[in-house]
Amino acid sequence: MVDYESHMKLDSVMQSQTMNEMMKEQFYSYPISSIMILGIAGGNGLEHIRSNSFKKVYGVDINSLYLQNVIERYPELDRILECLCIDLINETNKLPEADMIIANLLIEYIGYECFKKAVKQVNPKYISCIIQINMEGNWVSDSPYLHVFDALEQIYHQIEEKALEKAMLEIGYHMIKTLEHALPNGKKLVQIDFKK
């Protein structure tokens, strides 16, 4: 996880810093009391959570070590934060309900159909996704930490805005907002929000 986070923070990548700022807005854009963050990894952005603003924050990841790190990094959220080690491809039935799903740079690894299945299980009123658009072809920026992504390359899928919008419409969610943030190396992060 250290190499992954180091890669995302590089000045030539700027993904971690940009997403952190975007997450601050994701948390407070809609009238909700519970959030589920799918693919929480190391917990980037959780420092913006004010514990008196939410009744429950679920952090979901397939990696139990990541979740343990999140718990250790954010002890001030122990009253509302619940980390769940769940394989979203095979165990969506274990997901509890929440008012909102946040899925940042996740759909690329599980695909549209699996994401739809997770959304139907959680039954949120709002969904906020951040996807990465690679305008120059490479999905990973050059860095000394490239080896971290070797195994992920086999499961990575480029996500298209229109295809995501169509997939969400199929299960009753309408797009209500999009925001774009340019990154170095010809990439951009696109936030797409949906409402039931």
Side-chain angles (χ1 to χ4, degrees):
M1 183 166 75
V2 174
D3 284 354
Y4 175 79
E5 289 182 342
S6 297
H7 171 84
M8 296 303 196
K9 289 179 183 173
L10 288 172
D11 289 343
S12 60
V13 178
M14 290 294 290
Q15 198 163 297
S16 186
Q17 301 91 319
T18 305
M19 191 156 12
N20 187 288
E21 283 303 306
M22 293 172 80
M23 287 184 81
K24 190 192 310 186
E25 184 179 326
Q26 283 178 305
F27 293 145
Y28 296 103
S29 289
Y30 306 109
I32 54 169
S33 63
S34 60
I35 297 176
M36 181 176 294
I37 303 166
L38 298 178
I40 196 167
N44 183 21
L46 283 182
E47 68 272 19
H48 302 303
I49 296 271
R50 296 185 300 271
S51 60
N52 60 349
S53 298
F54 302 101
K55 289 180 182 166
K56 185 63 91 172
V57 176
Y58 296 103
V60 178
D61 208 284
I62 193 171
N63 188 319
S64 60
L65 293 176
Y66 284 6
L67 296 173
Q68 191 55 45
N69 249 320
V70 169
I71 292 165
E72 291 168 10
R73 284 181 178 176
Y74 300 98
E76 68 279 9
L77 297 178
D78 70 341
R79 191 179 57 78
I80 61 165
L81 178 62
E82 184 176 340
C83 289
L84 304 171
C85 189
I86 294 174
D87 173 355
L88 292 174
I89 293 173
N90 300 307
E91 302 178 316
T92 48
N93 61 313
K94 293 183 178 180
L95 294 168
E97 290 196 354
D99 297 337
M100 180 178 186
I101 284 179
I102 292 178
N104 297 337
L105 305 184
L106 169 86
I107 307 167
E108 290 87 341
Y109 300 103
I110 65 171
Y112 299 114
E113 290 306 312
C114 183
F115 184 60
K116 283 164 53 177
K117 193 173 167 188
V119 167
K120 286 195 279 189
Q121 173 69 25
V122 176
N123 193 30
K125 184 169 186 182
Y126 298 97
I127 303 167
S128 186
C129 309
I130 295 176
I131 62 173
Q132 178 178 291
I133 304 296
N134 310 310
M135 293 169 289
E136 294 176 9
N138 289 336
W139 68 282
V140 179
S141 299
D142 194 29
S143 90
Y145 308 103
L146 275 180
H147 64 90
V148 177
F149 299 91
D150 291 347
L152 295 177
E153 191 163 7
Q154 298 167 8
I155 57 171
Y156 178 85
H157 307 90
Q158 178 63 57
I159 298 300
E160 304 294 335
E161 295 171 68
K162 291 294 179 199
L164 178 58
E165 192 177 339
K166 180 177 179 284
M168 293 296 95
L169 202 52
E170 288 169 0
I171 57 170
Y173 288 85
H174 300 267
M175 187 185 69
I176 54 173
K177 176 167 71 175
T178 60
L179 296 168
E180 292 187 5
H181 291 271
L183 298 173
N185 297 338
K187 299 181 189 325
K188 64 181 176 179
L189 293 180
V190 179
Q191 178 184 332
I192 309 173
D193 291 1
F194 301 90
K195 183 180 180 182
K196 193 173 187 179

